Structures are given as C-alpha cells and as structure tokens.
Amino acid sequence: DTLWDLAIAEVEKRKNPDDDDNVKPGEVWEKSVLFMGNKTGGKTTIILRCLEREESPKPTLALEYTFGRRARRHNTPKDVAHFWELGGGTSLVELIRIPITSHNIRSFAVVLVLDLSKPNELWTTMESLLQATRNHVNKILTKLEKTNPEVAAEIKQRMWNHLQRDHPDCTLVDPFPIPLVIIGSKYDIFHEFDSEMRKIISKTLRFVSHYYGASLVFTSKSEALLLKARALINHLAFGHDKSKSISVDPSKPLFIPAGLDSMSQIGPPPASDSDLGKMRANTPLELWKKVFEKTFPPKSFCDLQDTKDPAQDSQYAEYEVDVMRAQKNQ
C-alpha cells in the first residue's frame, strides 16, 4: 500500500468506526469463532496453526473448545478469542446452539471448512450447516429486536458493511447475519483434478461466498496458503488488519476477502444455455446448486451411520464411569 492508500483507509475508518475500533485503550475484547465443516476436513489443523501450537491434531468429539490470547500493542492487556469446533460433519448441527447466544452474538463469527477433495459432499455439507446456523442466529435476532433493538439493528446494518454503498450487486446478494469465512481445504489434492472440474468448483464457491458476503480462501498444508487463511481468521478473532490482496485465477488457490468480488466477474453458472433453460429455479442460489449437482451428484450418505460411539473409544476411558455404565447396560 502507498502512503495515500493508508491515508484514505484511515479516513474511511474514522467515517465508519467498526465495532473493533471502538475498543478503548486498555480494554480487553473477546471474540468467538465457530469452526464447522466436513469431517476430517482439516478444521483442527487450521485452529492449531492460528494459535501457533505445535500439536498433532486429534479427531474432534462433538463440540470442542479452546482459546487464544494476543496483545494488540506492547504493554496492553491481552485480548481473548474463543475457538469452538463442531465435529461430526453435519450430524451434530443442533450443538451450534451452545456457543452462539444472545450475549455474544455481536462478537461472533463462523468459519466453514469445506473439503475440496470431496466435491460430492460439498454442497450438502455447506447448505445444511449454513442453513442451521442462519436459522439459529435469526431466532436470536428476533428476540433481540424485542429486548435490545439497538443491538439487533447494529448487527443487521453490519451485515452490509463489507459491500460499498454503490456496489452493483446490493440487490442480488443475501449477506449472512454474522461474519463468515469459507475455507476450501486440501487444495493440494484438488489441484490434481481435471481443470474443468476445478473451474466449476471454484466458480460455485466464489458465487456462494459473494452471495453470503463471506471471504473465501483455499488452503492446504503448505505454509504460504495457511498464512492466508490465518490472516482472515486473525481478523475475525483479534481484529488484525484485513488483507487487501485478491486472487481469482482458477488455476491458482483462490483468496477473495468479503466484498471484493462481483457477479459480473464470476459470470453465469457453468452450464450450456439449453441446460440452463431447462432448469427450474426460484433463486440464483438454487440455480447454481442444480448446475453444481449435475456435475457432482450428492452422495446419499447418512453422517450418523459412520459416527463411532465415543463411549467405546479407549481415549475417553474413565474407570468409575465405565463400571457404572456396564452395570446400567446389564
């Protein structure tokens, strides 16, 4: 950034003070981030990298919690970020009610991790997790409108903050009620796919991210890509500066911060005009879903069937509890 860019950004900041900037010196802020997505999609690895912990990831059991602390400047108290992680893919989605409450909704964000190496599970996972989260958040907002209308109005206004006022897509998008980052993981495997398949997946995820007002980043175990994902998460968790860089080339890993894409750049769904003419859809999102699922039919899988019973896992053995359970079963 040139000096002029920084000056303009500073003026903009003063015009639209974000929640983050209203934290007075010496005050500690707390943010909460919920990670969810495909099973074995790499959520735990991403959290550990964000917190700079050198641990090997273990499978997540139901809903797990950890936290990180960072000081914004030298000699200031450390801010706290609460990291929640939902395990089990889409099978335990009701558990999102635990971390997201009316008390922390103003400082809450969601990170959706989608496994790029499993395109047939991608739309189903994304749709069910985002719908369940949105429904829960909307219920909280409806209650807040009665009890604390100022906060509800502020959250609704903030949904649109990432889009400039004169953005041509204002009438075409439906922003997610709380900040959202979509991470496409396992880019190294995805990179080996046929270029046409890669193009369809990339284009679809660009549309979905833009439609929901989310940031999008592709990542893998490579340090350079993990750094980009970390930058987005650190912005949500600790208020670090947003990255202004952007990469939309389908032959490279995508990196698109919220509000920097547009429908005209994304283009129409990747299907022939005759195919598009035959598809009946009420919304653009529905049309993209039909086009995507034509190439990648969703697997008819039930997440619950392959969920191992954690009570049988030696990792969680507790002698007294296990004896009581055995007695009860008997």
Side-chain angles (χ1 to χ4, degrees):
D1 289 358
T2 65
L3 200 53
W4 289 115
D5 293 332
L6 295 171
I8 291 165
E10 184 60 37
V11 172
E12 282 298 309
K13 220 179 208 181
R14 287 178 193 175
K15 273 193 211 157
N16 320 316
D18 242 345
D19 252 7
D20 307 355
D21 303 317
N22 290 340
V23 179
K24 296 173 187 69
E27 214 175 20
V28 171
W29 84 25
E30 291 190 38
K31 297 267 176 168
S32 302
V33 185
L34 170 64
F35 287 75
M36 54 191 188
N38 293 85
K39 273 184 192 171
T40 64
K43 300 182 289 296
T44 312
T45 307
I46 293 166
I47 293 173
L48 291 173
R49 294 300 299 123
C50 280
L51 297 173
E52 294 169 14
R53 289 192 192 154
E54 298 295 326
E55 302 169 25
S56 45
K58 293 190 185 83
T60 302
L61 179 77
L63 185 68
E64 294 201 359
Y65 168 82
T66 185
F67 68 93
R69 302 179 70 170
R70 297 266 163 87
R72 240 166 308 158
R73 284 177 289 280
H74 187 56
N75 280 345
T76 57
K78 288 185 173 180
D79 297 324
V80 182
H82 306 280
F83 288 108
W84 295 87
E85 185 186 353
L86 179 70
T90 55
S91 59
L92 302 168
V93 72
E94 308 81 50
L95 293 178
I96 58 168
R97 296 196 304 255
I98 295 167
I100 310 178
T101 66
S102 53
H103 300 297
N104 64 13
I105 188 88
R106 283 174 75 187
S107 56
F108 211 97
V110 170
V111 175
L112 176 66
V113 181
L114 298 172
D115 187 337
L116 295 173
S117 68
K118 296 176 183 167
N120 300 76
E121 294 177 20
L122 201 139
W123 193 285
T124 319
T125 303
M126 175 178 72
E127 188 176 55
S128 50
L129 290 172
L130 289 184
Q131 268 178 359
T133 309
R134 181 168 225 160
N135 292 343
H136 176 60
V137 170
N138 285 342
K139 276 183 195 160
I140 292 175
L141 287 178
T142 308
K143 276 188 195 161
L144 277 177
E145 277 166 357
K146 293 172 188 155
T147 58
N148 198 337
E150 291 88 5
V151 171
E154 179 202 312
I155 291 169
K156 287 189 172 174
Q157 172 52 46
R158 221 173 45 186
M159 284 159 57
W160 294 92
N161 277 1
H162 64 274
L163 275 191
Q164 289 154 339
R165 285 186 180 81
D166 53 354
H167 198 291
D169 299 339
C170 284
T171 55
L172 304 171
V173 296
D174 184 11
F176 206 68
I178 52 180
L180 173 66
V181 168
I182 296 177
I183 296 180
S185 65
K186 305 197 182 171
Y187 178 78
D188 43 344
I189 302 172
F190 170 77
H191 191 56
E192 304 297 318
F193 284 8
D194 165 68
S195 68
E196 202 48 44
M197 284 167 70
R198 285 208 313 266
K199 199 170 159 190
I200 294 171
I201 297 169
S202 299
K203 217 173 171 185
T204 303
L205 285 178
R206 275 182 71 183
F207 169 78
V208 169
S209 301
H210 186 54
Y211 181 78
Y212 283 128
S215 298
L216 175 66
V217 58
F218 283 2
T219 185
S220 70
K221 286 180 179 160
S222 108
E223 200 57 38
L225 291 185
L226 274 169
L227 275 174
K228 291 199 157 185
R230 263 178 69 183
L232 285 175
I233 294 163
N234 281 335
H235 171 70
L236 295 179
F238 298 106
H240 289 192
D241 287 343
K242 268 186 192 163
S243 172
K244 294 279 191 320
S245 70
I246 180 167
S247 164
V248 294
D249 181 348
S251 63
K252 298 194 174 98
L254 296 181
F255 180 79
I256 311 169
L260 296 188
D261 214 341
S262 70
M263 295 296 185
S264 57
Q265 284 175 300
I266 297 166
S272 67
D273 290 348
S274 61
D275 278 350
L276 287 175
K278 288 176 203 156
M279 289 178 183
R280 291 197 175 162
N282 297 325
T283 62
L285 193 65
E286 218 174 289
L287 182 64
W288 278 82
K289 176 183 179 176
K290 287 188 171 171
V291 171
F292 185 79
E293 291 188 339
K294 193 168 185 281
T295 313
F296 303 106
K299 279 186 183 170
S300 54
F301 65 95
C302 176
D303 263 343
L304 292 166
Q305 284 170 353
D306 59 2
T307 304
K308 294 190 188 77
D309 180 359
Q312 308 305 321
D313 191 329
S314 57
Q315 185 185 339
Y316 305 109
E318 283 190 49
Y319 179 71
E320 286 88 348
V321 177
D322 296 340
V323 166
M324 294 301 282
R325 275 198 66 146
Q327 213 172 329
K328 178 174 180 289
N329 292 342
Q330 204 178 340

